[in-house]
């Protein structure tokens, strides 16, 4: 049972909303646009999927199954995902400890690691907007 989430809709809402806020930031949008891959975040307990597609200088995202086969898929618990977004669980350490499993190239994924720390304030903002400030770490 999740320590932070009561249902999958909360997870997808939080992650999709933080992506929207991140991609309004020109610096973060440029990193995503230049990434050129499709990433699928597969969360468990509760189960949720969010994808980011970067292709041709454009970036899109959404909940559920991505429109194309993902280049990289991360599988992790929703609670560990929350800790990563809150910058309380280091992506590299989580990969090493197998808290996050990766299908595809972990090296590609690590290119996005610096973006995660810059996303934390946006994630906290999203949680406050959702009325979930009590779970901010």
């Amino acid at each position: 049972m999740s320590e932070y989430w009561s249902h999958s809709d909360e997870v997808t809402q939080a992650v999709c909303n933080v992506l929207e806020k991140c991609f309004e930031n020109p610096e973060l949008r440029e990193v995503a646009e230049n990434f050129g891959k499709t990433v699928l975040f597969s969360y468990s307990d509760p189960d949720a999927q969010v994808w980011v597609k970067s292709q041709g200088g454009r970036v899109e995202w959404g909940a559920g199954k991505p429109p194309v086969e993902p280049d990289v898929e991360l599988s992790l618990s929703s609670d560990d995902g929350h800790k990563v977004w809150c910058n309380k669980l280091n992506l590299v350490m989580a990969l090493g400890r197998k808290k996050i499993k990766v299908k595809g190239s972990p090296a590609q994924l690590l290119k996005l690691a610096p973006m995660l720390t810059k996303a934390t304030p946006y994630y906290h903002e999203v949680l406050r907007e959702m009325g979930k400030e009590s779970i901010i770490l």
Side-chain angles (χ1 to χ4, degrees):
M1 180 153 192
S2 175
E3 183 177 346
Y4 306 109
W5 308 107
S6 56
H7 52 81
S8 61
D9 289 346
E10 287 181 326
V11 177
T12 55
Q13 179 185 358
V15 176
C16 285
N17 287 356
V18 75
L19 291 171
E20 181 175 350
K21 287 184 183 294
C22 284
F23 299 146
E24 288 173 355
N25 176 313
E27 177 188 354
L28 297 180
R29 186 171 191 88
E30 183 178 356
V31 169
E33 288 172 345
N34 292 331
F35 185 61
K37 307 285 180 206
T38 299
V39 178
L40 176 61
F41 300 88
S42 290
Y43 296 104
S44 59
D45 189 25
D47 294 350
Q49 289 186 319
V50 176
W51 54 270
V52 178
K53 179 183 170 201
S54 167
Q55 190 174 31
R58 291 188 50 200
V59 64
E60 302 171 76
W61 63 95
K65 190 174 180 172
V68 297
E69 190 67 28
D71 299 294
V72 181
E73 180 178 352
L74 286 78
S75 299
L76 65 160
S77 74
S78 294
D79 285 356
D80 283 340
H82 172 66
K83 291 173 187 173
V84 169
W85 285 110
C86 282
N87 202 26
K88 298 298 181 186
L89 178 61
N90 179 281
L91 182 63
V92 176
M93 298 286 283
L95 288 166
R97 292 181 183 155
K98 307 252 188 252
K99 287 185 165 276
I100 299 176
K101 294 176 181 74
V102 178
K103 288 182 189 171
S105 171
Q108 292 175 342
L109 176 67
L110 293 177
K111 292 177 186 177
L112 296 179
M115 186 175 133
L116 286 173
T117 57
K118 294 179 180 179
T120 299
Y122 297 116
Y123 185 66
H124 290 170
E125 182 181 339
V126 165
L127 293 175
R128 283 191 288 278
E129 289 170 357
M130 292 174 64
K132 296 197 61 81
E133 52 277 330
S134 64
I135 70 168
I136 294 175
L137 303 176

